[in-house]
Amino acid sequence: MGSDINPRLKEIMTSLVRHLHAFVKDVHLTQQEWEVAIDFLTRTGQICSNERQEFILLSDTLGVSMLVDAINNRRSIGATENTVLGPFHVAGAPQRGMGEHISFDGKGERCLFEGRVTDLHGNPVADARIDVWSDNADGYYDVQQPGIQPKWNNRGIFTTGVEGKYSFVGIKPVSYPIPHDGPVGGMLDALGRHPYRPAHMHFIVTADGFQKVVTHTFVGDDHYMTSDAVFGVKETLVAPFERVDDGVTVWRSSFDFILTPAGE
Ligand code: BEZ
Ligand code: FE
């Protein structure tokens, strides 16, 4: 390497080459296996588009996304943990009033999501922005079915009031497969892995003076909780889903988001 290069780049590339060579020696990679790897990476790149990022999916399914997230978001005990963002977040969802509905396709079991946003001491955080999104009852996000699902189906942005409270009505999410019709799906198949994620509701919680939380709440009794295709499950993110059956709403899920001060 040159003498005048970025020191961080030097550190990263030195380690990468060391580990890459150790890996090749460890498995005694054959010429044919090297060709398979090149072909796999080539196809992974070729299927990428503005709508599809197969390399991130590869990182997700190898557990690398969660590892990078864990290293970069170490928080105090009690603070809400992060998990994987995933490819289906869309910026600019409609801002909705407290208690409003976000599900517009008439499918699924209605679920009230509610809770509070607080700091580490339990004090309410007002004006926190809560960006939420989930799949529909068929296991697809609206962006996967343009023209079939209503635009912004199962998405919305909510702002907490003085008591830090939030509430909205969506559906109880269902488990679904990550996109598996490309090279990553082929890899999962070859490894005897299924492509499913356990049912979850996505949240991004932001508030002035606090660290951004990119997370989900999980439906704890989901079949795939112990084998999430992208390793996103964390025990602290399991939320209660209680049957209420009041004639309109079938489920209620209460979950508080506990924020860490910025810079901590
Ligand atoms: C998701 O939860 O939306 C997701 C996360 C990682 C990969 C694919 C989907
Ligand atoms: Fe998801």
Side-chain angles (χ1 to χ4, degrees), residues 57 60 84-88 133 141 176 178-179 197 200 202 216 230:
L57 207 58
D60 295 344
V84 65
L85 172 67
F88 301 122
W133 69 106
Y141 290 86
Y176 65 86
I178 61 169
R197 297 217 61 210
H200 55 273
H202 289 261
H216 319 335
V230 302

Side-chain angles (χ1 to χ4, degrees), residues 105-172:
D105 61 356
K107 294 183 172 179
E109 294 179 313
R110 208 169 264 194
C111 181
L112 170 68
F113 293 84
E114 59 171 18
R116 289 171 73 218
V117 180
T118 73
D119 66 13
L120 287 167
H121 310 290
N123 301 309
V125 176
D127 284 330
R129 192 181 138 96
I130 307 184
D131 192 342
V132 307
W133 69 106
S134 83
D135 59 347
N136 77 348
D138 297 329
Y140 294 102
Y141 290 86
D142 58 351
V143 288
Q144 294 177 287
Q145 296 188 310
I148 297 175
Q149 289 191 41
K151 197 165 162 56
W152 304 116
N153 194 31
N154 295 304
R155 294 178 191 274
I157 297 177
F158 298 84
T159 307
T160 59
V162 281
E163 292 175 314
K165 288 185 179 165
Y166 75 89
S167 70
F168 64 92
V169 179
I171 60 158
K172 187 181 183 210

Side-chain angles (χ1 to χ4, degrees), residues 55-69:
F55 275 112
I56 296 182
L57 207 58
L58 181 58
S59 162
D60 295 344
T61 50
L62 293 178
V64 174
S65 306
M66 283 302 294
L67 183 55
V68 172
D69 188 74

